[in-house]
Amino acid sequence: MLDRRKFIRFSTFTSFATVLGKKLSATENSITIKDQPLVVSTWDAGLRANKAAWDVLSTGGRALDAVEQGVMVTEAEHNCCVGLNANPDRDGFVTLDACIMDEFSNCGAVAFLERIKHPVSVARKVMEKTPHVMLVGEGAQQFAVAEGFPLEKQELSPEAKISYENWLKNSTYKPPAINVENKKDHGPFAPFKLENGEWNHDTIGMVAMDAMGNLSGSCTTSGAGFKMRGRVGDSPIIGAGLFVDNEVGACTATGQGEDVIRVAGSHSVVELMRQGLKPEAACKKVIERIIRIKGKKANDIQVGFVAINKKGEVGAYSIHKGFSYALKNGKEEKLVPAKFMMP
Ligand code: SD4
Protein backbone atom coordinates (compact mmCIF):
# COMPACT_ATOMS: atom_id res chain seq x y z
CA MET A 1 0.00 0.00 0.00
CA LEU A 2 1.17 3.54 -0.68
CA ASP A 3 1.98 5.57 2.42
CA ARG A 4 0.70 9.15 2.52
CA ARG A 5 3.95 10.84 1.50
CA LYS A 6 4.45 8.47 -1.38
CA PHE A 7 0.81 8.86 -2.37
CA ILE A 8 1.12 12.65 -2.52
CA ARG A 9 4.26 12.42 -4.59
CA PHE A 10 2.69 9.80 -6.81
CA SER A 11 -0.46 11.83 -7.39
CA THR A 12 1.59 14.95 -8.13
CA PHE A 13 3.45 12.91 -10.67
CA THR A 14 0.37 11.46 -12.30
CA SER A 15 -1.55 14.74 -12.42
CA PHE A 16 1.46 16.47 -13.99
CA ALA A 17 1.75 13.66 -16.46
CA THR A 18 -1.93 13.91 -17.25
CA VAL A 19 -1.80 17.69 -17.66
CA LEU A 20 0.95 17.28 -20.19
CA GLY A 21 -0.95 14.49 -21.86
CA LYS A 22 2.22 12.44 -22.02
CA LYS A 23 3.60 9.37 -20.39
CA LEU A 24 6.61 10.73 -18.55
CA SER A 25 9.59 8.52 -17.94
CA ALA A 26 11.51 10.76 -15.56
CA THR A 27 11.82 9.76 -11.93
CA GLU A 28 9.36 11.27 -9.49
CA ASN A 29 12.16 13.29 -7.85
CA SER A 30 12.69 15.31 -10.99
CA ILE A 31 9.06 16.32 -11.38
CA THR A 32 9.47 20.04 -10.92
CA ILE A 33 9.01 22.48 -13.73
CA LYS A 34 11.97 24.65 -12.95
CA ASP A 35 13.05 25.57 -16.43
CA GLN A 36 11.47 26.62 -19.63
CA PRO A 37 12.09 24.21 -22.47
CA LEU A 38 14.77 25.28 -24.89
CA VAL A 39 16.34 23.89 -28.05
CA VAL A 40 19.40 25.04 -29.98
CA SER A 41 20.91 23.56 -33.10
CA THR A 42 23.61 24.30 -35.60
CA TRP A 43 23.23 26.35 -38.77
CA ASP A 44 20.10 27.67 -40.46
CA ALA A 45 18.68 24.19 -41.04
CA GLY A 46 18.35 24.22 -37.28
CA LEU A 47 15.40 26.62 -37.60
CA ARG A 48 13.32 23.92 -39.29
CA ALA A 49 14.65 21.15 -37.07
CA ASN A 50 13.91 23.17 -33.93
CA LYS A 51 10.24 23.40 -34.90
CA ALA A 52 9.92 19.61 -34.79
CA ALA A 53 11.84 19.49 -31.52
CA TRP A 54 9.57 22.19 -30.12
CA ASP A 55 6.46 20.13 -30.91
CA VAL A 56 7.83 17.60 -28.41
CA LEU A 57 9.16 20.05 -25.82
CA SER A 58 6.12 22.32 -25.73
CA THR A 59 3.81 19.42 -24.97
CA GLY A 60 5.88 18.22 -22.01
CA GLY A 61 7.90 15.65 -23.94
CA ARG A 62 11.35 14.46 -23.13
CA ALA A 63 14.41 16.29 -24.49
CA LEU A 64 15.61 12.95 -25.88
CA ASP A 65 12.54 12.65 -28.11
CA ALA A 66 12.87 16.29 -29.12
CA VAL A 67 16.48 15.97 -30.28
CA GLU A 68 15.69 12.83 -32.25
CA GLN A 69 12.56 14.25 -33.93
CA GLY A 70 14.30 17.54 -34.58
CA VAL A 71 17.31 16.31 -36.52
CA MET A 72 15.20 13.78 -38.43
CA VAL A 73 13.80 16.78 -40.29
CA THR A 74 17.26 17.66 -41.58
CA GLU A 75 18.11 14.04 -42.34
CA ALA A 76 15.14 13.95 -44.72
CA GLU A 77 15.92 17.26 -46.46
CA HIS A 78 17.93 17.83 -49.61
CA ASN A 79 21.18 19.37 -48.50
CA CYS A 80 24.89 18.92 -48.98
CA CYS A 81 25.84 17.36 -45.74
CA VAL A 82 23.15 15.55 -43.74
CA GLY A 83 21.21 12.42 -44.67
CA LEU A 84 21.04 10.30 -47.79
CA ASN A 85 20.65 13.24 -50.17
CA ALA A 86 24.02 14.65 -49.14
CA ASN A 87 27.38 14.58 -50.93
CA PRO A 88 29.05 11.18 -51.24
CA ASP A 89 32.54 10.05 -50.35
CA ARG A 90 35.25 10.08 -53.02
CA ASP A 91 34.08 6.66 -54.27
CA GLY A 92 30.54 7.96 -54.80
CA PHE A 93 28.80 6.49 -51.76
CA VAL A 94 26.90 8.45 -49.12
CA THR A 95 28.00 7.28 -45.67
CA LEU A 96 26.36 8.66 -42.55
CA ASP A 97 27.40 9.27 -38.94
CA ALA A 98 25.12 10.08 -35.99
CA CYS A 99 24.84 9.93 -32.23
CA ILE A 100 22.43 10.69 -29.43
CA MET A 101 22.81 11.13 -25.65
CA ASP A 102 20.24 11.49 -22.87
CA GLU A 103 20.00 12.87 -19.35
CA PHE A 104 21.13 9.58 -17.78
CA SER A 105 24.37 9.54 -19.83
CA ASN A 106 22.93 6.79 -21.99
CA CYS A 107 24.33 7.17 -25.46
CA GLY A 108 24.33 5.48 -28.85
CA ALA A 109 26.06 6.06 -32.16
CA VAL A 110 26.41 4.79 -35.70
CA ALA A 111 29.16 5.54 -38.17
CA PHE A 112 29.94 4.73 -41.82
CA LEU A 113 26.29 3.72 -42.21
CA GLU A 114 24.90 3.42 -45.73
CA ARG A 115 21.37 3.37 -47.22
CA ILE A 116 19.50 4.20 -44.02
CA LYS A 117 17.42 7.38 -43.99
CA HIS A 118 17.50 8.17 -40.28
CA PRO A 119 20.85 7.32 -38.69
CA VAL A 120 19.94 9.23 -35.53
CA SER A 121 17.10 6.79 -34.89
CA VAL A 122 19.43 3.83 -35.42
CA ALA A 123 21.82 5.47 -32.92
CA ARG A 124 18.94 5.63 -30.45
CA LYS A 125 18.20 1.94 -30.99
CA VAL A 126 21.88 1.13 -30.38
CA MET A 127 21.56 3.04 -27.11
CA GLU A 128 18.32 1.41 -26.05
CA LYS A 129 18.58 -2.11 -27.39
CA THR A 130 22.23 -3.12 -27.28
CA PRO A 131 24.88 -3.21 -24.58
CA HIS A 132 27.09 -1.11 -26.87
CA VAL A 133 27.56 2.55 -27.65
CA MET A 134 28.60 2.45 -31.29
CA LEU A 135 28.01 0.27 -34.34
CA VAL A 136 29.67 0.96 -37.67
CA GLY A 137 29.42 0.07 -41.34
CA GLU A 138 27.92 -3.22 -42.38
CA GLY A 139 27.16 -4.24 -38.79
CA ALA A 140 25.30 -1.00 -38.16
CA GLN A 141 23.31 -1.51 -41.34
CA GLN A 142 22.46 -5.12 -40.43
CA PHE A 143 21.29 -3.97 -37.03
CA ALA A 144 19.18 -1.21 -38.57
CA VAL A 145 17.50 -3.61 -40.97
CA ALA A 146 16.87 -6.08 -38.14
CA GLU A 147 15.22 -3.24 -36.24
CA GLY A 148 12.89 -2.58 -39.18
CA PHE A 149 14.59 0.38 -40.87
CA PRO A 150 14.07 0.15 -44.65
CA LEU A 151 17.18 -0.24 -46.79
CA GLU A 152 16.99 2.66 -49.24
CA LYS A 153 18.28 2.58 -52.81
CA GLN A 154 21.97 3.29 -53.24
CA GLU A 155 21.70 6.34 -55.46
CA LEU A 156 22.78 9.94 -55.28
CA SER A 157 20.29 12.78 -55.10
CA PRO A 158 20.28 14.96 -58.25
CA GLU A 159 22.15 17.73 -56.41
CA ALA A 160 24.77 15.36 -55.02
CA LYS A 161 25.25 13.77 -58.45
CA ILE A 162 26.09 17.17 -59.94
CA SER A 163 28.46 18.03 -57.07
CA TYR A 164 30.17 14.68 -57.34
CA GLU A 165 30.57 14.93 -61.12
CA ASN A 166 32.07 18.38 -60.68
CA TRP A 167 34.38 17.15 -58.00
CA LEU A 168 35.50 14.22 -60.14
CA LYS A 169 36.80 16.62 -62.79
CA ASN A 170 39.70 17.51 -60.51
CA SER A 171 39.31 14.99 -57.69
CA THR A 172 41.29 17.25 -55.43
CA TYR A 173 41.69 16.20 -51.85
CA LYS A 174 43.35 19.34 -50.70
CA PRO A 175 43.20 20.76 -47.21
CA PRO A 176 39.94 22.53 -46.58
CA ALA A 177 39.76 26.20 -47.43
CA ILE A 178 37.40 28.35 -45.50
CA ASN A 179 37.63 31.76 -47.15
CA VAL A 180 36.53 30.63 -50.55
CA GLU A 181 33.85 32.38 -52.47
CA ASN A 182 32.35 29.55 -54.44
CA LYS A 183 31.65 25.87 -54.24
CA LYS A 184 34.13 24.91 -56.94
CA ASP A 185 37.11 25.82 -54.84
CA HIS A 186 36.04 24.39 -51.56
CA GLY A 187 38.05 21.63 -50.05
CA PRO A 188 36.59 18.35 -48.98
CA PHE A 189 35.35 19.74 -45.74
CA ALA A 190 32.29 21.92 -45.59
CA PRO A 191 31.17 24.46 -44.54
CA PHE A 192 31.64 26.64 -47.57
CA LYS A 193 30.29 29.91 -48.81
CA LEU A 194 27.69 29.83 -51.55
CA GLU A 195 27.70 32.14 -54.54
CA ASN A 196 24.95 34.22 -52.94
CA GLY A 197 27.28 34.88 -50.02
CA GLU A 198 25.45 32.65 -47.56
CA TRP A 199 27.11 29.82 -45.72
CA ASN A 200 25.91 26.40 -46.52
CA HIS A 201 25.05 24.36 -43.47
CA ASP A 202 26.32 20.89 -42.95
CA THR A 203 26.13 18.68 -39.91
CA ILE A 204 23.24 19.29 -37.62
CA GLY A 205 23.93 19.11 -33.89
CA MET A 206 21.10 19.79 -31.46
CA VAL A 207 20.94 20.16 -27.68
CA ALA A 208 17.75 20.66 -25.71
CA MET A 209 16.38 21.13 -22.22
CA ASP A 210 12.86 19.90 -21.49
CA ALA A 211 10.28 21.16 -18.99
CA MET A 212 11.81 18.92 -16.33
CA GLY A 213 15.14 20.68 -16.80
CA ASN A 214 16.62 17.50 -18.29
CA LEU A 215 19.14 17.69 -21.13
CA SER A 216 19.73 15.61 -24.24
CA GLY A 217 21.54 16.01 -27.54
CA SER A 218 21.92 14.59 -31.02
CA CYS A 219 24.25 15.03 -33.95
CA THR A 220 23.98 13.70 -37.52
CA THR A 221 25.95 14.21 -40.72
CA SER A 222 27.24 12.77 -43.95
CA GLY A 223 30.60 14.08 -42.79
CA ALA A 224 33.09 15.71 -45.06
CA GLY A 225 32.09 15.78 -48.71
CA PHE A 226 34.28 13.57 -50.94
CA LYS A 227 36.04 12.16 -47.90
CA MET A 228 38.13 9.00 -48.03
CA ARG A 229 35.99 5.88 -47.93
CA GLY A 230 35.61 4.81 -44.31
CA ARG A 231 36.46 8.23 -42.88
CA VAL A 232 34.53 9.03 -39.70
CA GLY A 233 34.52 12.50 -38.17
CA ASP A 234 33.60 13.86 -34.79
CA SER A 235 29.83 13.84 -35.20
CA PRO A 236 29.15 10.27 -34.01
CA ILE A 237 31.88 10.35 -31.36
CA ILE A 238 30.47 10.92 -27.89
CA GLY A 239 32.60 13.63 -26.28
CA ALA A 240 33.69 15.07 -29.63
CA GLY A 241 30.64 15.98 -31.74
CA LEU A 242 28.27 15.81 -28.78
CA PHE A 243 28.33 15.59 -25.02
CA VAL A 244 25.60 15.83 -22.39
CA ASP A 245 26.02 15.93 -18.64
CA ASN A 246 22.66 16.44 -17.03
CA GLU A 247 24.21 18.11 -13.99
CA VAL A 248 26.10 20.67 -16.01
CA GLY A 249 25.12 21.23 -19.63
CA ALA A 250 25.33 19.97 -23.18
CA CYS A 251 27.39 20.87 -26.23
CA THR A 252 27.55 19.96 -29.90
CA ALA A 253 30.11 20.72 -32.58
CA THR A 254 30.30 21.39 -36.28
CA GLY A 255 33.20 21.89 -38.63
CA GLN A 256 36.33 19.94 -39.24
CA GLY A 257 35.81 16.79 -37.25
CA GLU A 258 39.45 15.77 -36.99
CA ASP A 259 40.21 18.94 -35.04
CA VAL A 260 37.18 18.53 -32.82
CA ILE A 261 38.21 14.97 -31.94
CA ARG A 262 41.76 16.15 -31.16
CA VAL A 263 40.52 18.21 -28.21
CA ALA A 264 37.53 16.01 -27.24
CA GLY A 265 35.66 19.20 -28.16
CA SER A 266 32.13 18.91 -26.77
CA HIS A 267 33.30 17.14 -23.63
CA SER A 268 35.90 19.84 -23.04
CA VAL A 269 33.24 22.54 -23.34
CA VAL A 270 31.01 20.76 -20.81
CA GLU A 271 33.92 20.28 -18.41
CA LEU A 272 34.73 24.00 -18.60
CA MET A 273 31.08 24.77 -17.82
CA ARG A 274 31.38 22.43 -14.83
CA GLN A 275 34.24 24.62 -13.62
CA GLY A 276 31.93 27.62 -13.75
CA LEU A 277 32.35 29.09 -17.21
CA LYS A 278 29.27 30.28 -19.06
CA PRO A 279 28.51 28.45 -22.31
CA GLU A 280 30.02 31.09 -24.60
CA ALA A 281 33.22 31.39 -22.56
CA ALA A 282 33.57 27.60 -22.46
CA CYS A 283 33.11 27.31 -26.24
CA LYS A 284 35.61 30.11 -26.78
CA LYS A 285 38.27 28.44 -24.63
CA VAL A 286 38.09 25.23 -26.64
CA ILE A 287 38.17 27.16 -29.93
CA GLU A 288 41.32 28.91 -28.63
CA ARG A 289 42.80 25.52 -27.80
CA ILE A 290 42.21 24.30 -31.37
CA ILE A 291 43.76 27.46 -32.79
CA ARG A 292 46.78 27.05 -30.51
CA ILE A 293 47.27 23.48 -31.71
CA LYS A 294 46.74 24.27 -35.40
CA GLY A 295 48.81 27.46 -35.57
CA LYS A 296 48.64 28.98 -39.06
CA LYS A 297 46.62 26.04 -40.31
CA ALA A 298 43.70 27.37 -38.30
CA ASN A 299 43.20 29.79 -41.20
CA ASP A 300 42.04 26.89 -43.31
CA ILE A 301 39.53 25.22 -41.03
CA GLN A 302 36.24 26.04 -39.43
CA VAL A 303 35.02 24.64 -36.11
CA GLY A 304 32.01 25.87 -34.16
CA PHE A 305 30.54 24.85 -30.82
CA VAL A 306 27.13 25.65 -29.35
CA ALA A 307 26.32 24.83 -25.74
CA ILE A 308 23.61 25.19 -23.12
CA ASN A 309 23.96 24.95 -19.38
CA LYS A 310 21.60 23.73 -16.71
CA LYS A 311 20.28 27.27 -16.14
CA GLY A 312 19.15 27.41 -19.75
CA GLU A 313 21.92 29.82 -20.76
CA VAL A 314 23.17 29.46 -24.33
CA GLY A 315 26.49 30.29 -25.96
CA ALA A 316 28.51 29.54 -29.05
CA TYR A 317 31.90 30.29 -30.59
CA SER A 318 33.67 29.49 -33.84
CA ILE A 319 37.11 29.88 -35.36
CA HIS A 320 35.86 31.94 -38.31
CA LYS A 321 32.98 34.23 -39.03
CA GLY A 322 29.96 32.53 -40.54
CA PHE A 323 28.80 29.98 -37.99
CA SER A 324 25.30 30.49 -36.66
CA TYR A 325 22.94 28.54 -34.48
CA ALA A 326 19.16 28.36 -34.31
CA LEU A 327 17.41 28.87 -30.97
CA LYS A 328 13.83 28.26 -29.95
CA ASN A 329 12.16 28.63 -26.58
CA GLY A 330 8.74 29.73 -25.37
CA LYS A 331 9.50 33.37 -26.19
CA GLU A 332 11.56 33.43 -29.34
CA GLU A 333 12.75 31.65 -32.42
CA LYS A 334 15.84 32.99 -34.15
CA LEU A 335 19.11 32.39 -35.92
CA VAL A 336 22.04 33.76 -33.91
CA PRO A 337 25.46 34.48 -35.44
CA ALA A 338 28.18 33.01 -33.24
CA LYS A 339 31.11 35.09 -32.08
CA PHE A 340 34.41 34.12 -33.72
CA MET A 341 38.19 34.44 -33.35
CA MET A 342 39.16 35.16 -36.95
CA PRO A 343 37.31 37.05 -39.68
C1 SD4 B 1 32.65 15.95 -39.76
N1 SD4 B 1 31.93 17.63 -38.19
O1 SD4 B 1 32.33 14.88 -40.25
C2 SD4 B 1 31.55 16.92 -39.38
C3 SD4 B 1 31.28 17.79 -40.56
C4 SD4 B 1 30.83 19.13 -40.23
O2 SD4 B 1 30.86 21.33 -40.69
O3 SD4 B 1 30.23 19.40 -39.23
N2 SD4 B 1 31.18 20.08 -41.02
O4 SD4 B 1 33.80 16.29 -39.57
Short mmCIF file of all heavy atoms in Angstrom, two decimals, residues 43 97 189-191 202-203 221-224 231-236 253-258 260 302, ligand 1:
data_model
loop_
_atom_site.label_atom_id
_atom_site.label_comp_id
_atom_site.label_asym_id
_atom_site.label_seq_id
_atom_site.Cartn_x
_atom_site.Cartn_y
_atom_site.Cartn_z
N TRP A 43 23.51 25.85 -37.42
CA TRP A 43 23.23 26.35 -38.77
C TRP A 43 21.75 26.70 -38.97
O TRP A 43 20.92 26.44 -38.12
CB TRP A 43 23.70 25.35 -39.84
CG TRP A 43 25.16 25.01 -39.72
CD1 TRP A 43 25.70 23.85 -39.23
CD2 TRP A 43 26.27 25.85 -40.05
NE1 TRP A 43 27.06 23.91 -39.26
CE2 TRP A 43 27.45 25.12 -39.77
CE3 TRP A 43 26.40 27.13 -40.58
CZ2 TRP A 43 28.72 25.62 -39.98
CZ3 TRP A 43 27.68 27.64 -40.81
CH2 TRP A 43 28.80 26.89 -40.51
N ASP A 97 26.96 9.37 -40.35
CA ASP A 97 27.40 9.27 -38.94
C ASP A 97 26.38 9.97 -38.06
O ASP A 97 25.91 11.06 -38.42
CB ASP A 97 28.73 10.00 -38.72
CG ASP A 97 29.87 9.51 -39.60
OD1 ASP A 97 29.84 8.34 -40.03
OD2 ASP A 97 30.80 10.31 -39.83
N PHE A 189 36.10 19.55 -46.96
CA PHE A 189 35.35 19.74 -45.74
C PHE A 189 34.48 20.98 -45.83
O PHE A 189 34.97 22.07 -46.00
CB PHE A 189 36.30 19.89 -44.55
CG PHE A 189 37.11 18.67 -44.30
CD1 PHE A 189 38.33 18.50 -44.91
CD2 PHE A 189 36.64 17.68 -43.47
CE1 PHE A 189 39.07 17.36 -44.69
CE2 PHE A 189 37.37 16.55 -43.25
CZ PHE A 189 38.59 16.38 -43.86
N ALA A 190 33.17 20.76 -45.72
CA ALA A 190 32.29 21.92 -45.59
C ALA A 190 32.51 22.48 -44.19
O ALA A 190 33.13 21.82 -43.38
CB ALA A 190 30.85 21.43 -45.75
N PRO A 191 32.09 23.63 -43.79
CA PRO A 191 31.17 24.46 -44.54
C PRO A 191 31.87 25.30 -45.61
O PRO A 191 33.05 25.53 -45.55
CB PRO A 191 30.60 25.36 -43.45
CG PRO A 191 31.71 25.51 -42.48
CD PRO A 191 32.43 24.21 -42.49
N ASP A 202 26.04 22.31 -42.75
CA ASP A 202 26.32 20.89 -42.95
C ASP A 202 25.74 20.12 -41.79
O ASP A 202 24.55 20.19 -41.56
CB ASP A 202 27.81 20.62 -43.17
CG ASP A 202 28.65 21.66 -42.52
OD1 ASP A 202 28.37 22.00 -41.38
OD2 ASP A 202 29.58 22.13 -43.18
N THR A 203 26.57 19.40 -41.10
CA THR A 203 26.13 18.68 -39.91
C THR A 203 25.06 19.41 -39.13
O THR A 203 25.14 20.62 -38.94
CB THR A 203 27.35 18.55 -38.98
OG1 THR A 203 28.34 17.82 -39.67
CG2 THR A 203 27.01 17.91 -37.67
N THR A 221 25.22 13.62 -39.59
CA THR A 221 25.95 14.21 -40.72
C THR A 221 26.30 13.16 -41.76
O THR A 221 26.32 11.96 -41.46
CB THR A 221 27.28 14.84 -40.20
OG1 THR A 221 27.88 15.58 -41.25
CG2 THR A 221 28.26 13.79 -39.73
N SER A 222 26.60 13.66 -42.97
CA SER A 222 27.24 12.77 -43.95
C SER A 222 28.75 13.00 -43.89
O SER A 222 29.49 12.43 -44.68
CB SER A 222 26.72 13.06 -45.35
OG SER A 222 27.06 14.38 -45.70
N GLY A 223 29.16 13.85 -42.99
CA GLY A 223 30.60 14.08 -42.79
C GLY A 223 31.16 14.99 -43.86
O GLY A 223 30.45 15.81 -44.43
N ALA A 224 32.42 14.85 -44.09
CA ALA A 224 33.09 15.71 -45.06
C ALA A 224 32.80 15.23 -46.47
O ALA A 224 32.96 14.05 -46.76
CB ALA A 224 34.59 15.65 -44.79
N ARG A 231 36.14 7.13 -43.81
CA ARG A 231 36.46 8.23 -42.88
C ARG A 231 35.26 8.52 -41.96
O ARG A 231 34.13 8.60 -42.39
CB ARG A 231 36.81 9.48 -43.69
CG ARG A 231 37.17 10.72 -42.83
CD ARG A 231 36.00 11.62 -42.61
NE ARG A 231 36.37 12.85 -41.90
CZ ARG A 231 35.50 13.71 -41.40
NH1 ARG A 231 34.20 13.50 -41.54
NH2 ARG A 231 35.90 14.78 -40.75
N VAL A 232 35.56 8.66 -40.68
CA VAL A 232 34.53 9.03 -39.70
C VAL A 232 35.02 10.29 -38.98
O VAL A 232 36.18 10.36 -38.59
CB VAL A 232 34.29 7.88 -38.70
CG1 VAL A 232 33.41 8.34 -37.55
CG2 VAL A 232 33.67 6.68 -39.40
N GLY A 233 34.14 11.25 -38.84
CA GLY A 233 34.52 12.50 -38.17
C GLY A 233 34.12 12.51 -36.71
O GLY A 233 33.97 11.46 -36.07
N ASP A 234 33.93 13.70 -36.21
CA ASP A 234 33.60 13.86 -34.79
C ASP A 234 32.13 13.60 -34.47
O ASP A 234 31.78 13.28 -33.33
CB ASP A 234 33.92 15.30 -34.35
CG ASP A 234 33.08 16.31 -35.14
OD1 ASP A 234 32.98 16.16 -36.38
OD2 ASP A 234 32.50 17.23 -34.53
N SER A 235 31.27 13.77 -35.49
CA SER A 235 29.83 13.84 -35.20
C SER A 235 29.26 12.63 -34.46
O SER A 235 28.40 12.80 -33.61
CB SER A 235 29.05 14.10 -36.50
OG SER A 235 29.50 15.28 -37.07
N PRO A 236 29.70 11.39 -34.75
CA PRO A 236 29.15 10.27 -34.01
C PRO A 236 29.96 9.92 -32.76
O PRO A 236 29.63 8.93 -32.08
CB PRO A 236 29.25 9.11 -35.02
CG PRO A 236 30.51 9.43 -35.76
CD PRO A 236 30.61 10.94 -35.83
N ALA A 253 29.07 20.09 -31.75
CA ALA A 253 30.11 20.72 -32.58
C ALA A 253 29.78 20.60 -34.05
O ALA A 253 29.07 19.69 -34.47
CB ALA A 253 31.45 20.04 -32.31
N THR A 254 30.35 21.50 -34.82
CA THR A 254 30.30 21.39 -36.28
C THR A 254 31.63 21.88 -36.82
O THR A 254 32.37 22.58 -36.14
CB THR A 254 29.13 22.23 -36.84
OG1 THR A 254 29.06 22.04 -38.26
CG2 THR A 254 29.28 23.70 -36.54
N GLY A 255 31.93 21.48 -38.05
CA GLY A 255 33.20 21.89 -38.63
C GLY A 255 34.12 20.71 -38.83
O GLY A 255 33.65 19.57 -38.91
N GLN A 256 35.39 21.01 -38.89
CA GLN A 256 36.33 19.94 -39.24
C GLN A 256 36.51 18.95 -38.10
O GLN A 256 37.17 19.22 -37.09
CB GLN A 256 37.68 20.54 -39.63
CG GLN A 256 38.61 19.42 -40.06
CD GLN A 256 39.61 19.88 -41.09
OE1 GLN A 256 39.30 20.75 -41.92
NE2 GLN A 256 40.78 19.32 -41.07
N GLY A 257 35.92 17.78 -38.31
CA GLY A 257 35.81 16.79 -37.25
C GLY A 257 37.13 16.35 -36.65
O GLY A 257 37.24 16.14 -35.44
N GLU A 258 38.16 16.24 -37.50
CA GLU A 258 39.45 15.77 -36.99
C GLU A 258 39.95 16.68 -35.86
O GLU A 258 40.53 16.22 -34.88
CB GLU A 258 40.48 15.74 -38.14
CG GLU A 258 40.34 14.56 -39.09
CD GLU A 258 39.14 14.64 -40.04
OE1 GLU A 258 38.40 15.65 -40.01
OE2 GLU A 258 38.92 13.68 -40.79
N VAL A 260 38.07 18.59 -33.98
CA VAL A 260 37.18 18.53 -32.82
C VAL A 260 37.55 17.30 -31.97
O VAL A 260 37.63 17.38 -30.74
CB VAL A 260 35.70 18.45 -33.27
CG1 VAL A 260 34.78 18.29 -32.06
CG2 VAL A 260 35.32 19.69 -34.07
N GLN A 302 37.30 25.45 -40.25
CA GLN A 302 36.24 26.04 -39.43
C GLN A 302 35.80 25.00 -38.39
O GLN A 302 35.66 23.80 -38.72
CB GLN A 302 35.04 26.43 -40.30
CG GLN A 302 33.79 26.88 -39.55
CD GLN A 302 33.93 28.23 -38.85
OE1 GLN A 302 34.88 28.44 -38.09
NE2 GLN A 302 32.98 29.12 -39.04
C1 SD4 B 1 32.65 15.95 -39.76
N1 SD4 B 1 31.93 17.63 -38.19
O1 SD4 B 1 32.33 14.88 -40.25
C2 SD4 B 1 31.55 16.92 -39.38
C3 SD4 B 1 31.28 17.79 -40.56
C4 SD4 B 1 30.83 19.13 -40.23
O2 SD4 B 1 30.86 21.33 -40.69
O3 SD4 B 1 30.23 19.40 -39.23
N2 SD4 B 1 31.18 20.08 -41.02
O4 SD4 B 1 33.80 16.29 -39.57
#
